[in-house]
Amino acid sequence: MQSTSDIQLLPRLGVGIGYRHPFKADLFLNRSAVDFLEVTADHVLDGGPQAQNDLQLLTDHFTLIPHGLCLSLGSAEGLDENYLTRLAGLVQQVDPPWWSEHIAFTKAGGIDIGHLTPLPFTNEALDVFCENVSRARRVIDRPLILENITYHMKMPGAEMTEPEFLRAIVERTGCGLLLDVTNLYTNAVNHGYDLDAVLDALPLESVVQLHFVGGHWDGDVLIDSHSSTTPPEVWNVLQQVVERGNVKGVILERDEHIPPFAELREELDKAKNICEKAWS
Amino acid sequence: MSLAEQQAALARILTDKHIRASTKEATVHDHQDWSQVCSIDSEQIEHQAKALIRKRLGCARHLLPRTIATMGPQFVTWFTEYAETHPLAGPRRYEADAQRFGDLVRGRLNSIQTAAIKRDLIDIQLRHGRKRVVFGVFPIAFNTSPDDEPTKQVPRRFFIWVRQPFRSHYIVVRLPWWRLRKEEPQHTNASSQQSLSS
Ligand SMILES: [Fe+2]
């Protein structure tokens, strides 16, 4: 079983970006700005031969981290074994230092929700999640790290807070955390959490990787649309976590309204500065 | 209500606006199965459902660029309308989503928009290793004889527009031999008899 000490031994990868096809060429033109890439597993699994060719090219030039979206580790009905097998094939092909998935469910009652849906912070959900993680890890023998999500719905019946839930997952599974600092900030804004208290309660020593990006406002609700430059508040959280934790990699996760790569590079350089200061 | 039941109910509520509406009634009629899910603030459920549509819309944007260019803001309205009652399904679900949306709205589009969506959908098929996809078939030569009414003229040759990854090309084909034999003998016999008698 993976343990916390295994996580401490993972290699430090630096600062990278979530791979998106529109800036494929820019990655090679800005090779020095990108230490590693995160590939969305589903883009490859669903992407056909073209996506496979891209994956081969990227594997030859970058360290890649597969990032799953649809394993649905929180599903009470268990995992989709077919999907798990395909994901395992991808992880084997990429041969990464770790891979990641979300603390959420995406499938239930025969319906593919198509989006990360929150779990209630209950002991039952914790049991289900840990059981599914252990099943996934029996099939995929590579360190797994788990990402916190944004949620608009607060699930009823909570028996603990979100940081307590995340800590319990880390302790019971031995997995590391992929802390999405944008998600953390978005939830704090939308649900009125005290961000400093949340940071204090989180197991920052188990954070392996970070995600950061900007969202947009829809009325008085902050949306994590991955569509804009990172706001100062998120930079602030990122800096705090990098300074206080033992982060191995930081990923800019831009999906929508992708700007010219020079703008993305500015953000990557800024993240690199923060990390280099903290890691020196 | 177990976690599995709660998740299944939530999946239905989040992916279908009609069910969301009926859920509100269900609490009134004291349907216990829905009660725990219903205890989530309905505004929060709407926001979560909206996030789900936004995600699908984002994927559709990448898959249907020409369609969006020709439809403008109408695309968002129609796609949202469609997605609110059609959950994702099947393998390669986002592509299947774009395909189903395309099939549903095609009849409501003008000719430019129809051509755009057709091209986008063909590109999706080509991404998955299809070597070539027939984009359109157009008759270009007809069996003509002075006696034929224009409506009865039978196409003899077709111009077929084939798209392949990175290029399009055209091929011209004749009707299958059995079709030609069936349509042509009368004209051939008639004309040979004519020439003999003259
Ligand atoms: Fe993320």
Side-chain angles (χ1 to χ4, degrees), chain A residues 11-280:
Chain A
R12 182 160 278 159
L13 297 185
V15 175
I17 190 163
Y19 172 68
R20 307 293 178 259
H21 186 76
F23 54 70
K24 181 168 97 177
D26 294 295
L27 291 174
F28 292 93
L29 294 171
N30 294 270
R31 185 66 190 81
S32 62
V34 183
D35 297 328
F36 73 111
L37 294 175
E38 187 180 72
V39 280
T40 303
D42 304 82
H43 292 175
V44 181
L45 296 176
D46 290 347
Q50 221 176 77
Q52 269 297 333
N53 291 346
D54 282 358
L55 184 73
Q56 194 50 57
L57 176 74
L58 297 173
T59 313
D60 291 344
H61 292 88
F62 294 90
T63 299
L64 302 186
I65 300 293
H67 183 51
L69 288 179
C70 299
L71 187 53
S72 198
L73 286 168
S75 275
E77 340 177 308
L79 300 181
D80 175 344
E81 290 291 328
N82 177 38
Y83 181 86
L84 179 59
T85 310
R86 292 170 66 218
L87 188 59
L90 174 68
V91 174
Q92 196 177 17
Q93 181 185 353
V94 169
D95 191 22
W98 66 79
W99 65 287
S100 56
E101 245 296 349
H102 295 85
I103 301 170
F105 76 101
T106 60
K107 294 166 193 155
I111 296 174
D112 187 346
I113 303 172
H115 193 49
L116 304 163
T117 310
L119 297 173
F121 302 132
T122 61
N123 287 305
E124 187 190 4
L126 189 61
D127 290 343
V128 160
F129 190 82
C130 294
E131 177 54 39
N132 286 339
V133 165
S134 98
R135 170 67 197 139
R137 297 200 36 236
R138 281 199 294 276
V139 177
I140 304 177
D141 182 23
R142 216 24 83 103
L144 165 63
I145 62 170
L146 300 161
E147 179 175 0
N148 59 308
I149 65 161
T150 47
Y151 46 85
H152 297 285
M153 298 183 304
K154 269 177 135 175
M155 298 297 290
E159 293 162 343
M160 57 194 101
T161 62
E162 184 178 7
E164 285 167 348
F165 191 72
L166 297 183
R167 185 176 284 279
I169 286 174
V170 166
E171 283 169 3
R172 280 179 55 174
T173 61
C175 291
L177 279 183
L178 193 183
L179 192 67
D180 188 316
V181 286
T182 304
N183 290 352
L184 210 60
Y185 170 69
T186 306
N187 286 338
V189 167
N190 289 340
H191 300 290
Y193 300 148
D194 176 351
L195 199 48
D196 291 330
V198 170
L199 278 177
D200 288 341
L202 280 170
L204 294 184
E205 67 285 355
S206 297
V207 175
V208 172
Q209 191 193 313
L210 302 183
H211 273 170
F212 72 102
V213 71
H216 76 274
W217 287 92
D218 181 7
D220 55 356
V221 178
L222 183 56
I223 308 292
D224 71 322
S225 48
H226 300 195
S227 60
S228 65
T229 49
T230 311
E233 297 87 346
V234 173
W235 281 116
N236 183 30
V237 182
L238 182 142
Q239 184 166 358
Q240 283 194 60
V241 179
V242 171
E243 285 170 357
R244 291 164 64 178
N246 187 15
V247 176
K248 310 286 186 181
V250 176
I251 284 284
L252 172 59
E253 201 185 24
R254 187 74 178 254
D255 283 314
E256 296 292 328
H257 304 134
I258 294 176
F261 199 81
E263 275 180 43
L264 299 176
R265 184 171 178 148
E266 271 175 34
E267 294 206 85
L268 292 173
D269 290 345
K270 186 170 177 177
K272 258 189 188 179
N273 272 338
I274 293 172
C275 291
E276 274 164 15
K277 270 184 205 155
W279 292 340
S280 59

Side-chain angles (χ1 to χ4, degrees), chain B:
Chain B
M1 191 183 210
S2 72
L3 183 64
E5 288 167 334
Q6 186 194 46
Q7 288 182 339
L10 203 49
R12 291 184 65 197
I13 290 174
L14 287 172
T15 53
D16 194 324
K17 71 170 179 182
H18 300 311
I19 293 181
R20 287 203 292 284
S22 69
T23 304
K24 286 174 191 160
E25 286 165 28
T27 34
V28 175
H29 295 104
D30 203 21
H31 285 213
Q32 286 217 326
D33 282 356
W34 296 99
S35 63
Q36 198 173 359
V37 174
C38 296
S39 69
I40 302 171
D41 181 78
S42 63
E43 205 182 328
Q44 288 186 6
I45 290 186
E46 284 302 330
H47 279 304
Q48 190 75 27
K50 236 171 128 179
L52 200 158
I53 304 261
R54 205 179 303 114
K55 163 91 180 151
R56 284 170 70 180
L57 196 54
C59 294
R61 273 203 184 100
H62 290 298
L63 291 167
L64 304 170
R66 298 179 189 90
T67 313
I68 290 162
T70 53
M71 284 181 70
Q74 198 183 34
F75 177 84
V76 176
T77 315
W78 284 13
F79 188 87
T80 306
E81 227 173 69
Y82 149 81
E84 272 174 338
T85 49
H86 294 77
L88 288 168
R92 301 207 292 259
R93 60 233 166 92
Y94 288 110
E95 289 169 3
D97 207 26
Q99 182 77 50
R100 277 196 303 163
F101 171 70
D103 293 342
L104 266 174
V105 298
R106 217 183 269 189
R108 294 158 71 186
L109 300 176
N110 66 32
S111 58
I112 295 170
Q113 293 165 337
T114 305
I117 203 162
K118 217 169 152 188
R119 282 187 185 207
D120 283 336
L121 296 178
I122 281 174
D123 281 354
I124 292 172
Q125 292 181 50
L126 291 174
R127 278 168 48 153
H128 288 283
R130 285 283 296 274
K131 294 277 181 278
R132 55 187 71 85
V133 179
V134 173
F135 186 74
V137 179
F138 311 95
I140 51 169
F142 294 87
N143 273 341
T144 47
S145 96
D147 308 332
D148 275 348
E149 288 171 38
T151 50
K152 285 187 178 169
Q153 289 179 356
V154 180
R156 294 179 61 191
R157 283 186 188 178
F158 291 89
F159 173 81
I160 301 189
W161 184 357
V162 181
R163 278 182 68 82
Q164 285 185 285
F166 313 115
R167 73 191 186 108
S168 283
H169 69 266
Y170 311 98
I171 50 176
V172 175
V173 294
R174 288 169 63 85
L175 266 182
W177 62 270
W178 54 267
R179 184 86 190 269
L180 283 168
R181 249 190 8 189
K182 199 174 163 191
E183 302 296 341
E184 281 187 358
Q186 293 166 354
H187 301 301
T188 323
N189 291 342
S191 57
S192 57
Q193 275 170 18
Q194 248 180 3
S195 62
L196 279 173
S197 61
S198 62

